[in-house]
mmCIF file of all heavy atoms in Angstrom:
data_model
loop_
_atom_site.group_PDB
_atom_site.id
_atom_site.type_symbol
_atom_site.label_atom_id
_atom_site.label_comp_id
_atom_site.label_asym_id
_atom_site.label_seq_id
_atom_site.Cartn_x
_atom_site.Cartn_y
_atom_site.Cartn_z
ATOM 1 N N TYR A 1 0.822 -1.207 0.000
ATOM 2 C CA TYR A 1 0.000 0.000 0.000
ATOM 3 C C TYR A 1 0.863 1.267 0.000
ATOM 4 O O TYR A 1 0.497 2.279 -0.594
ATOM 5 C CB TYR A 1 -0.996 0.015 1.170
ATOM 6 C CG TYR A 1 -0.389 0.140 2.543
ATOM 7 C CD1 TYR A 1 -0.164 1.394 3.117
ATOM 8 C CD2 TYR A 1 -0.061 -0.987 3.293
ATOM 9 C CE1 TYR A 1 0.388 1.515 4.387
ATOM 10 C CE2 TYR A 1 0.478 -0.884 4.560
ATOM 11 C CZ TYR A 1 0.701 0.371 5.101
ATOM 12 O OH TYR A 1 1.240 0.488 6.354
ATOM 13 N N ARG A 2 2.033 1.210 0.641
ATOM 14 C CA ARG A 2 2.933 2.363 0.622
ATOM 15 C C ARG A 2 3.524 2.549 -0.769
ATOM 16 O O ARG A 2 3.603 3.661 -1.286
ATOM 17 C CB ARG A 2 4.062 2.186 1.628
ATOM 18 C CG ARG A 2 3.636 2.235 3.067
ATOM 19 C CD ARG A 2 4.847 2.099 3.975
ATOM 20 N NE ARG A 2 4.461 1.739 5.314
ATOM 21 C CZ ARG A 2 5.190 0.996 6.118
ATOM 22 N NH1 ARG A 2 6.377 0.541 5.724
ATOM 23 N NH2 ARG A 2 4.767 0.701 7.329
ATOM 24 N N LEU A 3 3.956 1.460 -1.345
ATOM 25 C CA LEU A 3 4.541 1.510 -2.680
ATOM 26 C C LEU A 3 3.527 2.032 -3.690
ATOM 27 O O LEU A 3 3.834 2.899 -4.507
ATOM 28 C CB LEU A 3 5.045 0.119 -3.076
ATOM 29 C CG LEU A 3 5.863 0.010 -4.350
ATOM 30 C CD1 LEU A 3 7.059 0.955 -4.332
ATOM 31 C CD2 LEU A 3 6.320 -1.420 -4.546
ATOM 32 N N ARG A 4 2.297 1.538 -3.630
ATOM 33 C CA ARG A 4 1.235 2.006 -4.548
ATOM 34 C C ARG A 4 0.972 3.496 -4.365
ATOM 35 O O ARG A 4 0.802 4.225 -5.332
ATOM 36 C CB ARG A 4 -0.060 1.242 -4.316
ATOM 37 C CG ARG A 4 -0.182 -0.041 -5.083
ATOM 38 C CD ARG A 4 -1.608 -0.586 -5.078
ATOM 39 N NE ARG A 4 -2.220 -0.629 -3.757
ATOM 40 C CZ ARG A 4 -2.070 -1.609 -2.868
ATOM 41 N NH1 ARG A 4 -1.297 -2.637 -3.159
ATOM 42 N NH2 ARG A 4 -2.670 -1.558 -1.701
ATOM 43 N N ALA A 5 0.935 3.935 -3.124
ATOM 44 C CA ALA A 5 0.634 5.341 -2.845
ATOM 45 C C ALA A 5 1.715 6.272 -3.370
ATOM 46 O O ALA A 5 1.409 7.349 -3.885
ATOM 47 C CB ALA A 5 0.462 5.550 -1.339
ATOM 48 N N GLU A 6 2.958 5.881 -3.262
ATOM 49 C CA GLU A 6 4.056 6.762 -3.669
ATOM 50 C C GLU A 6 4.482 6.591 -5.117
ATOM 51 O O GLU A 6 5.003 7.520 -5.714
ATOM 52 C CB GLU A 6 5.262 6.567 -2.747
ATOM 53 C CG GLU A 6 5.012 7.001 -1.335
ATOM 54 C CD GLU A 6 4.570 8.458 -1.194
ATOM 55 O OE1 GLU A 6 4.534 9.224 -2.174
ATOM 56 O OE2 GLU A 6 4.243 8.833 -0.071
ATOM 57 N N ALA A 7 4.283 5.438 -5.690
ATOM 58 C CA ALA A 7 4.729 5.184 -7.066
ATOM 59 C C ALA A 7 3.607 5.473 -8.056
ATOM 60 O O ALA A 7 3.276 4.667 -8.904
ATOM 61 C CB ALA A 7 5.215 3.746 -7.200
ATOM 62 N N ARG A 8 3.043 6.659 -7.936
ATOM 63 C CA ARG A 8 1.933 7.038 -8.821
ATOM 64 C C ARG A 8 2.416 7.550 -10.167
ATOM 65 O O ARG A 8 1.677 7.530 -11.133
ATOM 66 C CB ARG A 8 1.076 8.101 -8.134
ATOM 67 C CG ARG A 8 0.360 7.578 -6.904
ATOM 68 C CD ARG A 8 -0.469 8.670 -6.287
ATOM 69 N NE ARG A 8 0.367 9.803 -5.955
ATOM 70 C CZ ARG A 8 0.401 10.404 -4.789
ATOM 71 N NH1 ARG A 8 -0.371 9.997 -3.826
ATOM 72 N NH2 ARG A 8 1.194 11.424 -4.564
ATOM 73 N N ASP A 9 3.631 8.047 -10.236
ATOM 74 C CA ASP A 9 4.156 8.521 -11.514
ATOM 75 C C ASP A 9 5.288 7.602 -11.972
ATOM 76 O O ASP A 9 5.854 6.847 -11.187
ATOM 77 C CB ASP A 9 4.640 9.977 -11.408
ATOM 78 C CG ASP A 9 5.735 10.141 -10.378
ATOM 79 O OD1 ASP A 9 6.884 9.769 -10.683
ATOM 80 O OD2 ASP A 9 5.434 10.625 -9.269
ATOM 81 N N ARG A 10 5.588 7.664 -13.249
ATOM 82 C CA ARG A 10 6.582 6.759 -13.846
ATOM 83 C C ARG A 10 7.957 6.897 -13.210
ATOM 84 O O ARG A 10 8.641 5.910 -12.932
ATOM 85 C CB ARG A 10 6.656 7.019 -15.350
ATOM 86 C CG ARG A 10 7.305 5.881 -16.100
ATOM 87 C CD ARG A 10 7.225 6.079 -17.584
ATOM 88 N NE ARG A 10 8.600 6.082 -18.052
ATOM 89 C CZ ARG A 10 9.079 6.827 -19.011
ATOM 90 N NH1 ARG A 10 8.295 7.646 -19.666
ATOM 91 N NH2 ARG A 10 10.328 6.767 -19.360
ATOM 92 N N GLN A 11 8.379 8.118 -12.959
ATOM 93 C CA GLN A 11 9.713 8.353 -12.399
ATOM 94 C C GLN A 11 9.849 7.734 -11.004
ATOM 95 O O GLN A 11 10.835 7.066 -10.709
ATOM 96 C CB GLN A 11 9.992 9.852 -12.338
ATOM 97 C CG GLN A 11 11.370 10.179 -11.804
ATOM 98 C CD GLN A 11 11.612 11.678 -11.705
ATOM 99 O OE1 GLN A 11 10.708 12.479 -11.929
ATOM 100 N NE2 GLN A 11 12.824 12.051 -11.385
ATOM 101 N N THR A 12 8.851 7.928 -10.153
ATOM 102 C CA THR A 12 8.916 7.375 -8.803
ATOM 103 C C THR A 12 8.796 5.859 -8.835
ATOM 104 O O THR A 12 9.466 5.164 -8.066
ATOM 105 C CB THR A 12 7.817 7.988 -7.906
ATOM 106 O OG1 THR A 12 7.896 9.407 -7.997
ATOM 107 C CG2 THR A 12 7.980 7.580 -6.467
ATOM 108 N N LYS A 13 7.939 5.347 -9.727
ATOM 109 C CA LYS A 13 7.809 3.892 -9.883
ATOM 110 C C LYS A 13 9.167 3.276 -10.208
ATOM 111 O O LYS A 13 9.572 2.281 -9.620
ATOM 112 C CB LYS A 13 6.840 3.574 -11.030
ATOM 113 C CG LYS A 13 5.603 2.873 -10.621
ATOM 114 C CD LYS A 13 4.779 2.555 -11.840
ATOM 115 C CE LYS A 13 3.360 2.946 -11.506
ATOM 116 N NZ LYS A 13 2.441 2.791 -12.587
ATOM 117 N N GLN A 14 9.846 3.890 -11.160
ATOM 118 C CA GLN A 14 11.164 3.390 -11.569
ATOM 119 C C GLN A 14 12.169 3.494 -10.420
ATOM 120 O O GLN A 14 12.935 2.566 -10.166
ATOM 121 C CB GLN A 14 11.666 4.172 -12.781
ATOM 122 C CG GLN A 14 12.977 3.672 -13.330
ATOM 123 C CD GLN A 14 13.429 4.490 -14.524
ATOM 124 O OE1 GLN A 14 12.923 5.582 -14.778
ATOM 125 N NE2 GLN A 14 14.391 3.959 -15.250
ATOM 126 N N LEU A 15 12.134 4.605 -9.714
ATOM 127 C CA LEU A 15 13.068 4.820 -8.613
ATOM 128 C C LEU A 15 12.876 3.793 -7.504
ATOM 129 O O LEU A 15 13.840 3.281 -6.946
ATOM 130 C CB LEU A 15 12.879 6.229 -8.049
ATOM 131 C CG LEU A 15 13.817 6.641 -6.931
ATOM 132 C CD1 LEU A 15 15.254 6.719 -7.427
ATOM 133 C CD2 LEU A 15 13.393 7.970 -6.360
ATOM 134 N N LEU A 16 11.635 3.461 -7.191
ATOM 135 C CA LEU A 16 11.355 2.530 -6.098
ATOM 136 C C LEU A 16 11.336 1.067 -6.532
ATOM 137 O O LEU A 16 11.211 0.178 -5.703
ATOM 138 C CB LEU A 16 10.039 2.903 -5.412
ATOM 139 C CG LEU A 16 10.026 4.253 -4.689
ATOM 140 C CD1 LEU A 16 8.646 4.551 -4.134
ATOM 141 C CD2 LEU A 16 11.085 4.306 -3.599
ATOM 142 N N SER A 17 11.464 0.823 -7.834
ATOM 143 C CA SER A 17 11.418 -0.559 -8.319
ATOM 144 C C SER A 17 12.688 -1.340 -7.986
ATOM 145 O O SER A 17 12.660 -2.558 -7.881
ATOM 146 C CB SER A 17 11.161 -0.598 -9.830
ATOM 147 O OG SER A 17 12.272 -0.066 -10.525
ATOM 148 N N GLN A 18 13.800 -0.642 -7.830
ATOM 149 C CA GLN A 18 15.038 -1.308 -7.420
ATOM 150 C C GLN A 18 15.893 -0.334 -6.618
ATOM 151 O O GLN A 18 15.849 0.866 -6.831
ATOM 152 C CB GLN A 18 15.817 -1.848 -8.609
ATOM 153 C CG GLN A 18 16.389 -0.788 -9.540
ATOM 154 C CD GLN A 18 17.096 -1.417 -10.715
ATOM 155 O OE1 GLN A 18 16.682 -2.452 -11.213
ATOM 156 N NE2 GLN A 18 18.168 -0.810 -11.160
ATOM 157 N N TYR A 19 16.650 -0.882 -5.713
ATOM 158 C CA TYR A 19 17.465 -0.069 -4.821
ATOM 159 C C TYR A 19 18.639 0.538 -5.580
ATOM 160 O O TYR A 19 19.439 -0.177 -6.183
ATOM 161 C CB TYR A 19 17.971 -0.938 -3.666
ATOM 162 C CG TYR A 19 18.771 -0.170 -2.648
ATOM 163 C CD1 TYR A 19 18.134 0.636 -1.720
ATOM 164 C CD2 TYR A 19 20.150 -0.251 -2.617
ATOM 165 C CE1 TYR A 19 18.855 1.346 -0.773
ATOM 166 C CE2 TYR A 19 20.881 0.444 -1.674
ATOM 167 C CZ TYR A 19 20.227 1.247 -0.767
ATOM 168 O OH TYR A 19 20.942 1.946 0.175
ATOM 169 N N ASP A 20 18.708 1.867 -5.575
ATOM 170 C CA ASP A 20 19.816 2.592 -6.184
ATOM 171 C C ASP A 20 20.187 3.703 -5.206
ATOM 172 O O ASP A 20 19.526 4.743 -5.146
ATOM 173 C CB ASP A 20 19.389 3.173 -7.531
ATOM 174 C CG ASP A 20 20.509 3.916 -8.249
ATOM 175 O OD1 ASP A 20 21.406 4.471 -7.575
ATOM 176 O OD2 ASP A 20 20.471 3.951 -9.490
ATOM 177 N N GLU A 21 21.222 3.450 -4.429
ATOM 178 C CA GLU A 21 21.587 4.343 -3.330
ATOM 179 C C GLU A 21 21.765 5.790 -3.759
ATOM 180 O O GLU A 21 21.249 6.708 -3.110
ATOM 181 C CB GLU A 21 22.859 3.832 -2.648
ATOM 182 C CG GLU A 21 23.191 4.609 -1.405
ATOM 183 C CD GLU A 21 24.333 3.990 -0.621
ATOM 184 O OE1 GLU A 21 24.411 2.756 -0.548
ATOM 185 O OE2 GLU A 21 25.139 4.768 -0.082
ATOM 186 N N GLU A 22 22.476 6.021 -4.833
ATOM 187 C CA GLU A 22 22.760 7.399 -5.256
ATOM 188 C C GLU A 22 21.492 8.135 -5.701
ATOM 189 O O GLU A 22 21.266 9.284 -5.333
ATOM 190 C CB GLU A 22 23.805 7.416 -6.376
ATOM 191 C CG GLU A 22 24.251 8.810 -6.745
ATOM 192 C CD GLU A 22 24.730 9.644 -5.557
ATOM 193 O OE1 GLU A 22 25.459 9.129 -4.701
ATOM 194 O OE2 GLU A 22 24.365 10.837 -5.476
ATOM 195 N N ARG A 23 20.652 7.477 -6.466
ATOM 196 C CA ARG A 23 19.417 8.127 -6.945
ATOM 197 C C ARG A 23 18.449 8.403 -5.800
ATOM 198 O O ARG A 23 17.806 9.449 -5.753
ATOM 199 C CB ARG A 23 18.751 7.271 -8.023
ATOM 200 C CG ARG A 23 19.566 7.262 -9.314
ATOM 201 C CD ARG A 23 18.945 6.421 -10.389
ATOM 202 N NE ARG A 23 17.699 7.051 -10.836
ATOM 203 C CZ ARG A 23 16.682 6.384 -11.343
ATOM 204 N NH1 ARG A 23 16.745 5.077 -11.475
ATOM 205 N NH2 ARG A 23 15.600 7.012 -11.738
ATOM 206 N N ILE A 24 18.361 7.487 -4.871
ATOM 207 C CA ILE A 24 17.459 7.687 -3.733
ATOM 208 C C ILE A 24 18.010 8.783 -2.821
ATOM 209 O O ILE A 24 17.253 9.615 -2.320
ATOM 210 C CB ILE A 24 17.208 6.362 -2.991
ATOM 211 C CG1 ILE A 24 16.490 5.374 -3.922
ATOM 212 C CG2 ILE A 24 16.380 6.597 -1.727
ATOM 213 C CD1 ILE A 24 16.455 3.941 -3.430
ATOM 214 N N ALA A 25 19.308 8.815 -2.621
ATOM 215 C CA ALA A 25 19.917 9.889 -1.814
ATOM 216 C C ALA A 25 19.648 11.243 -2.457
ATOM 217 O O ALA A 25 19.331 12.222 -1.758
ATOM 218 C CB ALA A 25 21.417 9.662 -1.661
ATOM 219 N N ARG A 26 19.743 11.328 -3.764
ATOM 220 C CA ARG A 26 19.460 12.578 -4.472
ATOM 221 C C ARG A 26 17.998 12.987 -4.262
ATOM 222 O O ARG A 26 17.690 14.146 -3.992
ATOM 223 C CB ARG A 26 19.788 12.440 -5.958
ATOM 224 C CG ARG A 26 19.663 13.730 -6.723
ATOM 225 C CD ARG A 26 20.169 13.671 -8.169
ATOM 226 N NE ARG A 26 19.931 12.416 -8.855
ATOM 227 C CZ ARG A 26 20.881 11.524 -9.184
ATOM 228 N NH1 ARG A 26 22.129 11.742 -8.885
ATOM 229 N NH2 ARG A 26 20.578 10.419 -9.818
ATOM 230 N N LEU A 27 17.083 12.013 -4.355
ATOM 231 C CA LEU A 27 15.663 12.284 -4.115
ATOM 232 C C LEU A 27 15.459 12.820 -2.695
ATOM 233 O O LEU A 27 14.753 13.813 -2.498
ATOM 234 C CB LEU A 27 14.828 11.011 -4.306
ATOM 235 C CG LEU A 27 13.372 11.108 -3.840
ATOM 236 C CD1 LEU A 27 12.570 11.964 -4.803
ATOM 237 C CD2 LEU A 27 12.762 9.736 -3.715
ATOM 238 N N ILE A 28 16.073 12.196 -1.714
ATOM 239 C CA ILE A 28 15.926 12.626 -0.322
ATOM 240 C C ILE A 28 16.442 14.057 -0.149
ATOM 241 O O ILE A 28 15.804 14.889 0.507
ATOM 242 C CB ILE A 28 16.642 11.651 0.639
ATOM 243 C CG1 ILE A 28 15.951 10.284 0.618
ATOM 244 C CG2 ILE A 28 16.678 12.217 2.057
ATOM 245 C CD1 ILE A 28 16.738 9.177 1.305
ATOM 246 N N ARG A 29 17.594 14.366 -0.742
ATOM 247 C CA ARG A 29 18.142 15.727 -0.642
ATOM 248 C C ARG A 29 17.207 16.756 -1.285
ATOM 249 O O ARG A 29 16.980 17.825 -0.739
ATOM 250 C CB ARG A 29 19.517 15.803 -1.309
ATOM 251 C CG ARG A 29 20.644 15.253 -0.469
ATOM 252 C CD ARG A 29 22.015 15.563 -1.057
ATOM 253 N NE ARG A 29 22.211 15.067 -2.402
ATOM 254 C CZ ARG A 29 22.659 13.841 -2.709
ATOM 255 N NH1 ARG A 29 22.954 12.984 -1.756
ATOM 256 N NH2 ARG A 29 22.815 13.484 -3.959
ATOM 257 N N GLU A 30 16.666 16.418 -2.471
ATOM 258 C CA GLU A 30 15.845 17.365 -3.220
ATOM 259 C C GLU A 30 14.420 17.476 -2.684
ATOM 260 O O GLU A 30 13.825 18.549 -2.737
ATOM 261 C CB GLU A 30 15.799 16.966 -4.700
ATOM 262 C CG GLU A 30 17.132 17.110 -5.386
ATOM 263 C CD GLU A 30 17.154 16.513 -6.786
ATOM 264 O OE1 GLU A 30 16.107 15.998 -7.245
ATOM 265 O OE2 GLU A 30 18.215 16.576 -7.420
ATOM 266 N N MET A 31 13.869 16.376 -2.257
ATOM 267 C CA MET A 31 12.465 16.402 -1.844
ATOM 268 C C MET A 31 12.334 16.711 -0.350
ATOM 269 O O MET A 31 12.227 17.872 -0.018
ATOM 270 C CB MET A 31 11.775 15.091 -2.210
ATOM 271 C CG MET A 31 11.592 14.948 -3.705
ATOM 272 S SD MET A 31 10.321 16.019 -4.305
ATOM 273 C CE MET A 31 9.282 14.840 -5.093
ATOM 274 N N PRO A 32 12.376 15.743 0.490
ATOM 275 C CA PRO A 32 12.002 16.132 1.855
ATOM 276 C C PRO A 32 12.964 17.122 2.502
ATOM 277 O O PRO A 32 12.531 18.052 3.178
ATOM 278 C CB PRO A 32 11.959 14.809 2.617
ATOM 279 C CG PRO A 32 12.800 13.859 1.855
ATOM 280 C CD PRO A 32 12.682 14.302 0.424
ATOM 281 N N MET A 33 14.265 16.973 2.266
ATOM 282 C CA MET A 33 15.204 17.862 2.953
ATOM 283 C C MET A 33 15.086 19.307 2.467
ATOM 284 O O MET A 33 14.842 20.223 3.254
ATOM 285 C CB MET A 33 16.632 17.345 2.800
ATOM 286 C CG MET A 33 16.909 16.097 3.579
ATOM 287 S SD MET A 33 18.640 15.588 3.393
ATOM 288 C CE MET A 33 18.757 14.350 4.675
ATOM 289 N N ASP A 34 15.266 19.528 1.168
ATOM 290 C CA ASP A 34 15.208 20.892 0.646
ATOM 291 C C ASP A 34 13.807 21.486 0.737
ATOM 292 O O ASP A 34 13.646 22.653 1.091
ATOM 293 C CB ASP A 34 15.687 20.936 -0.808
ATOM 294 C CG ASP A 34 17.194 20.802 -0.928
ATOM 295 O OD1 ASP A 34 17.892 20.931 0.095
ATOM 296 O OD2 ASP A 34 17.671 20.557 -2.050
ATOM 297 N N LYS A 35 12.793 20.702 0.421
ATOM 298 C CA LYS A 35 11.413 21.214 0.455
ATOM 299 C C LYS A 35 11.010 21.598 1.872
ATOM 300 O O LYS A 35 10.421 22.640 2.095
ATOM 301 C CB LYS A 35 10.425 20.182 -0.093
ATOM 302 C CG LYS A 35 10.625 19.834 -1.536
ATOM 303 C CD LYS A 35 10.062 20.894 -2.429
ATOM 304 C CE LYS A 35 10.131 20.388 -3.862
ATOM 305 N NZ LYS A 35 10.328 21.414 -4.828
ATOM 306 N N TRP A 36 11.318 20.731 2.840
ATOM 307 C CA TRP A 36 10.915 21.021 4.208
ATOM 308 C C TRP A 36 11.683 22.227 4.750
ATOM 309 O O TRP A 36 11.107 23.131 5.355
ATOM 310 C CB TRP A 36 11.106 19.807 5.099
ATOM 311 C CG TRP A 36 10.368 19.880 6.408
ATOM 312 C CD1 TRP A 36 9.674 20.955 6.920
ATOM 313 C CD2 TRP A 36 10.247 18.846 7.370
ATOM 314 N NE1 TRP A 36 9.136 20.630 8.144
ATOM 315 C CE2 TRP A 36 9.476 19.345 8.454
ATOM 316 C CE3 TRP A 36 10.723 17.541 7.447
ATOM 317 C CZ2 TRP A 36 9.169 18.574 9.571
ATOM 318 C CZ3 TRP A 36 10.413 16.784 8.560
ATOM 319 C CH2 TRP A 36 9.634 17.297 9.612
ATOM 320 N N SER A 37 12.990 22.264 4.510
ATOM 321 C CA SER A 37 13.759 23.400 5.030
ATOM 322 C C SER A 37 13.329 24.700 4.357
ATOM 323 O O SER A 37 13.344 25.756 4.990
ATOM 324 C CB SER A 37 15.261 23.172 4.859
ATOM 325 O OG SER A 37 15.625 23.177 3.503
ATOM 326 N N GLY A 38 12.898 24.626 3.106
ATOM 327 C CA GLY A 38 12.440 25.819 2.400
ATOM 328 C C GLY A 38 11.113 26.352 2.900
ATOM 329 O O GLY A 38 10.828 27.541 2.782
#
């Protein structure tokens, strides 16, 4: 249910379909970290 909720778009589906440390770290920096601090 978490995966379905978050993988609504193609880019996120692809990102969560397999573990890729660098791409996920980039997502974390750009999304929750930068967005929340902003």
